[in-house]
């Protein structure tokens, strides 16, 4: 466990690994090259359940390959759809949801997450979380679309009540303002869309 | 272990407790009512060593009392002096240094930490840290002196090189801008003033 790592993605994994356990149900809203999906599969194991979303076929292909290499395909459902439709695919409470915004590494840099659909996906994901569930977002303000996306997510986060969510911002104080940073939401309320099965 | 707590002071304790071990040498640069000193004494134990600084006799009195009640007076040296003189009292590498800025809770609110002396103390403490040592600062921008102090510490932190220090800022995203927050410095370099005895 390392909660003081050099890299914000490692940091988020460290935090989540403390809060998740075998058998948990989780979603990766930005499958990308499968980095977070694989981490989630390793963490919740074969008795858990992972939904991984991406709108690019190449992303799901890469993710599928990584899971196969690790022998962890079984608990993962790969979904070729926008994360703003998460509630069409998941009808049960979640223990964690991950977002890693921006564009696909080594992919088309013009195909980035979009403010409107990202916000919808975050709002729906927060509703799907069970009490004490965690939602993590890694944000990148260094590209044009990312800057607006960060501002919108910050505004939305700031509007949530303290009694409903603890939201911690983790960022490096001696890196450029455009360095990636993380927001971690912990749900404090019982309110969920779907009851446990 | 809880790295997603509701309170920033609890959060800092959680982080430090992961990085400290029995026998470590640490400093509390703002003893106050002894909250951090007691935490450090519990964490490094009787084989460790803790230096606790305060300029108010009442703070050291309260700290002494808490340590006595816990049976942990032995490893703690209470020092009635400004933390800017830390290097006059400690001549060995430290594993951690804690600062909790502002005024003494339930004390004289006009007696707050001062920007100039705080900055000197932080700079000297960073030099005293051994490689991988941690310095934590809890900052309060909600009072007049605190606002200037925060700005100065942020400016100093931002000037430190990434290869020398990882500096993470932890703050709640849905609380007032004046809510307390933490900066955690991890030293990446071998440079220290004093060699281990």
């Amino acid at each position: 466990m390392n909660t003081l790592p050099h890299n914000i993605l490692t940091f988020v994994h460290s935090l989540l690994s403390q809060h998740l356990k075998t058998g948990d149900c989780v979603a990766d809203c930005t499958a990308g090259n499968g980095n977070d999906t694989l981490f989630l599969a390793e963490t919740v194991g074969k008795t858990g359940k992972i939904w991984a979303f991406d709108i690019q076929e190449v992303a799901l292909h890469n993710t599928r390959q990584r899971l196969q290499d690790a022998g962890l395909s079984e608990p993962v459902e790969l979904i070729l759809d926008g994360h703003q439709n998460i509630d069409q695919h998941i009808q049960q409470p979640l223990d964690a949801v991950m977002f890693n915004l921006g564009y696909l590494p080594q992919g088309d840099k013009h195909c980035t997450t979009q403010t409107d659909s990202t916000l919808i996906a975050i709002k729906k994901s927060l509703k799907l979380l069970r009490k004490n569930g965690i939602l993590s977002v890694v944000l990148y303000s260094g590209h044009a679309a990312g800057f607006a996306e960060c501002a919108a997510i910050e505004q939305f986060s700031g509007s949530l009540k303290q009694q409903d969510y603890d939201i911690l911002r983790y960022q490096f104080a001696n890196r450029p303002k455009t360095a990636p940073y993380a927001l971690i939401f912990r749900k404090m309320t019982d309110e969920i869309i779907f009851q446990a099965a």
Side-chain angles (χ1 to χ4, degrees), chain A residues 132-158:
Chain A
N132 286 319
I134 304 290
L135 182 144
S136 68
V137 189
V138 176
L139 302 97
Y140 303 78
S141 64
H143 61 286
F147 187 80
E149 192 174 44
C150 288
I153 293 169
E154 287 284 355
Q155 187 176 31
F156 166 68
S157 303

Short mmCIF file of all heavy atoms in Angstrom, two decimals, chain A residues 132-158:
data_model
loop_
_atom_site.label_atom_id
_atom_site.label_comp_id
_atom_site.label_asym_id
_atom_site.label_seq_id
_atom_site.Cartn_x
_atom_site.Cartn_y
_atom_site.Cartn_z
N ASN A 132 -21.11 4.44 1.43
CA ASN A 132 -19.66 4.23 1.61
C ASN A 132 -18.96 3.80 0.33
O ASN A 132 -17.75 3.53 0.35
CB ASN A 132 -19.34 3.25 2.74
CG ASN A 132 -19.56 3.89 4.09
OD1 ASN A 132 -19.20 5.05 4.29
ND2 ASN A 132 -20.16 3.15 5.00
N GLY A 133 -19.70 3.73 -0.77
CA GLY A 133 -19.07 3.45 -2.06
C GLY A 133 -18.20 4.63 -2.50
O GLY A 133 -18.41 5.76 -2.08
N ILE A 134 -17.24 4.31 -3.37
CA ILE A 134 -16.25 5.30 -3.79
C ILE A 134 -16.36 5.53 -5.30
O ILE A 134 -16.45 4.57 -6.07
CB ILE A 134 -14.81 4.78 -3.51
CG1 ILE A 134 -14.65 4.42 -2.03
CG2 ILE A 134 -13.76 5.80 -3.97
CD1 ILE A 134 -14.63 5.58 -1.11
N LEU A 135 -16.31 6.79 -5.70
CA LEU A 135 -16.19 7.13 -7.12
C LEU A 135 -14.91 7.93 -7.30
O LEU A 135 -14.69 8.92 -6.60
CB LEU A 135 -17.41 7.93 -7.58
CG LEU A 135 -17.43 8.31 -9.07
CD1 LEU A 135 -18.87 8.25 -9.60
CD2 LEU A 135 -16.87 9.70 -9.31
N SER A 136 -14.04 7.46 -8.19
CA SER A 136 -12.78 8.18 -8.43
C SER A 136 -12.78 8.77 -9.83
O SER A 136 -13.26 8.17 -10.78
CB SER A 136 -11.59 7.22 -8.27
OG SER A 136 -11.58 6.26 -9.31
N VAL A 137 -12.26 9.98 -9.92
CA VAL A 137 -12.13 10.65 -11.21
C VAL A 137 -10.71 11.19 -11.34
O VAL A 137 -10.25 11.94 -10.46
CB VAL A 137 -13.11 11.83 -11.36
CG1 VAL A 137 -13.10 12.36 -12.80
CG2 VAL A 137 -14.52 11.45 -10.96
N VAL A 138 -10.00 10.81 -12.39
CA VAL A 138 -8.71 11.43 -12.67
C VAL A 138 -8.92 12.44 -13.79
O VAL A 138 -9.48 12.10 -14.85
CB VAL A 138 -7.64 10.38 -13.05
CG1 VAL A 138 -6.33 11.07 -13.43
CG2 VAL A 138 -7.42 9.43 -11.89
N LEU A 139 -8.54 13.68 -13.53
CA LEU A 139 -8.85 14.80 -14.43
C LEU A 139 -7.59 15.37 -15.07
O LEU A 139 -6.54 15.44 -14.43
CB LEU A 139 -9.55 15.92 -13.65
CG LEU A 139 -10.85 15.56 -12.93
CD1 LEU A 139 -10.59 15.27 -11.47
CD2 LEU A 139 -11.86 16.69 -13.05
N TYR A 140 -7.75 15.82 -16.29
CA TYR A 140 -6.64 16.38 -17.06
C TYR A 140 -7.09 17.73 -17.63
O TYR A 140 -7.94 17.77 -18.52
CB TYR A 140 -6.27 15.46 -18.22
CG TYR A 140 -5.90 14.05 -17.81
CD1 TYR A 140 -6.89 13.13 -17.47
CD2 TYR A 140 -4.56 13.66 -17.73
CE1 TYR A 140 -6.55 11.84 -17.07
CE2 TYR A 140 -4.23 12.38 -17.34
CZ TYR A 140 -5.23 11.48 -17.01
OH TYR A 140 -4.90 10.21 -16.60
N SER A 141 -6.51 18.80 -17.14
CA SER A 141 -6.91 20.12 -17.63
C SER A 141 -5.98 20.64 -18.72
O SER A 141 -6.14 21.74 -19.20
CB SER A 141 -6.94 21.12 -16.48
OG SER A 141 -5.64 21.29 -15.96
N GLY A 142 -5.02 19.81 -19.13
CA GLY A 142 -3.98 20.28 -20.03
C GLY A 142 -4.35 20.32 -21.51
O GLY A 142 -3.59 20.85 -22.31
N HIS A 143 -5.49 19.75 -21.90
CA HIS A 143 -5.95 19.89 -23.28
C HIS A 143 -7.25 20.70 -23.26
O HIS A 143 -7.90 20.81 -22.22
CB HIS A 143 -6.12 18.52 -23.97
CG HIS A 143 -7.13 17.63 -23.33
ND1 HIS A 143 -6.91 16.98 -22.13
CD2 HIS A 143 -8.40 17.28 -23.68
CE1 HIS A 143 -7.98 16.27 -21.81
NE2 HIS A 143 -8.89 16.44 -22.72
N ALA A 144 -7.60 21.27 -24.40
CA ALA A 144 -8.69 22.26 -24.45
C ALA A 144 -10.00 21.69 -23.88
O ALA A 144 -10.62 22.30 -23.00
CB ALA A 144 -8.90 22.72 -25.89
N ALA A 145 -10.41 20.51 -24.35
CA ALA A 145 -11.67 19.94 -23.87
C ALA A 145 -11.57 19.61 -22.39
O ALA A 145 -12.54 19.72 -21.64
CB ALA A 145 -12.02 18.68 -24.68
N GLY A 146 -10.38 19.19 -21.98
CA GLY A 146 -10.17 18.82 -20.58
C GLY A 146 -10.33 19.98 -19.63
O GLY A 146 -10.84 19.82 -18.51
N PHE A 147 -9.91 21.15 -20.05
CA PHE A 147 -9.99 22.32 -19.19
C PHE A 147 -11.44 22.63 -18.82
O PHE A 147 -11.78 22.82 -17.64
CB PHE A 147 -9.35 23.53 -19.89
CG PHE A 147 -9.23 24.73 -19.01
CD1 PHE A 147 -8.20 24.83 -18.09
CD2 PHE A 147 -10.16 25.76 -19.07
CE1 PHE A 147 -8.09 25.95 -17.26
CE2 PHE A 147 -10.07 26.87 -18.24
CZ PHE A 147 -9.03 26.96 -17.33
N ALA A 148 -12.30 22.62 -19.84
CA ALA A 148 -13.73 22.88 -19.60
C ALA A 148 -14.35 21.75 -18.78
O ALA A 148 -15.19 21.99 -17.89
CB ALA A 148 -14.46 23.03 -20.93
N GLU A 149 -13.93 20.54 -19.07
CA GLU A 149 -14.47 19.39 -18.35
C GLU A 149 -14.13 19.47 -16.86
O GLU A 149 -14.99 19.25 -16.00
CB GLU A 149 -13.88 18.11 -18.96
CG GLU A 149 -14.55 16.83 -18.51
CD GLU A 149 -14.01 15.62 -19.27
OE1 GLU A 149 -12.77 15.52 -19.45
OE2 GLU A 149 -14.81 14.79 -19.69
N CYS A 150 -12.88 19.81 -16.55
CA CYS A 150 -12.46 19.96 -15.14
C CYS A 150 -13.31 21.02 -14.45
O CYS A 150 -13.78 20.81 -13.33
CB CYS A 150 -11.00 20.38 -15.06
SG CYS A 150 -9.85 19.08 -15.48
N ALA A 151 -13.48 22.16 -15.10
CA ALA A 151 -14.24 23.26 -14.49
C ALA A 151 -15.66 22.81 -14.17
O ALA A 151 -16.19 23.10 -13.09
CB ALA A 151 -14.24 24.47 -15.40
N ALA A 152 -16.27 22.10 -15.11
CA ALA A 152 -17.65 21.65 -14.91
C ALA A 152 -17.75 20.64 -13.78
O ALA A 152 -18.68 20.68 -12.96
CB ALA A 152 -18.19 21.06 -16.21
N ILE A 153 -16.80 19.72 -13.72
CA ILE A 153 -16.83 18.70 -12.66
C ILE A 153 -16.57 19.33 -11.30
O ILE A 153 -17.20 18.99 -10.30
CB ILE A 153 -15.82 17.57 -12.97
CG1 ILE A 153 -16.27 16.82 -14.22
CG2 ILE A 153 -15.68 16.62 -11.79
CD1 ILE A 153 -15.24 15.85 -14.77
N GLU A 154 -15.65 20.30 -11.27
CA GLU A 154 -15.38 20.99 -10.00
C GLU A 154 -16.62 21.74 -9.52
O GLU A 154 -16.96 21.71 -8.33
CB GLU A 154 -14.21 21.98 -10.16
CG GLU A 154 -12.85 21.31 -10.27
CD GLU A 154 -12.30 20.80 -8.93
OE1 GLU A 154 -12.92 21.05 -7.89
OE2 GLU A 154 -11.26 20.13 -8.96
N GLN A 155 -17.29 22.39 -10.47
CA GLN A 155 -18.49 23.14 -10.08
C GLN A 155 -19.58 22.19 -9.54
O GLN A 155 -20.18 22.46 -8.50
CB GLN A 155 -19.03 23.92 -11.28
CG GLN A 155 -20.18 24.85 -10.93
CD GLN A 155 -20.63 25.67 -12.12
OE1 GLN A 155 -20.56 25.23 -13.26
NE2 GLN A 155 -21.10 26.88 -11.85
N PHE A 156 -19.75 21.08 -10.26
CA PHE A 156 -20.73 20.09 -9.79
C PHE A 156 -20.34 19.54 -8.42
O PHE A 156 -21.18 19.46 -7.50
CB PHE A 156 -20.86 18.96 -10.82
CG PHE A 156 -21.58 17.76 -10.27
CD1 PHE A 156 -22.93 17.83 -9.97
CD2 PHE A 156 -20.90 16.58 -10.02
CE1 PHE A 156 -23.61 16.74 -9.44
CE2 PHE A 156 -21.56 15.48 -9.49
CZ PHE A 156 -22.92 15.56 -9.20
N SER A 157 -19.07 19.19 -8.26
CA SER A 157 -18.61 18.61 -6.98
C SER A 157 -18.84 19.59 -5.84
O SER A 157 -19.31 19.20 -4.75
CB SER A 157 -17.11 18.29 -7.05
OG SER A 157 -16.85 17.43 -8.12
N GLY A 158 -18.52 20.86 -6.08
CA GLY A 158 -18.68 21.87 -5.05
C GLY A 158 -20.13 22.07 -4.64
O GLY A 158 -20.41 22.59 -3.55
#
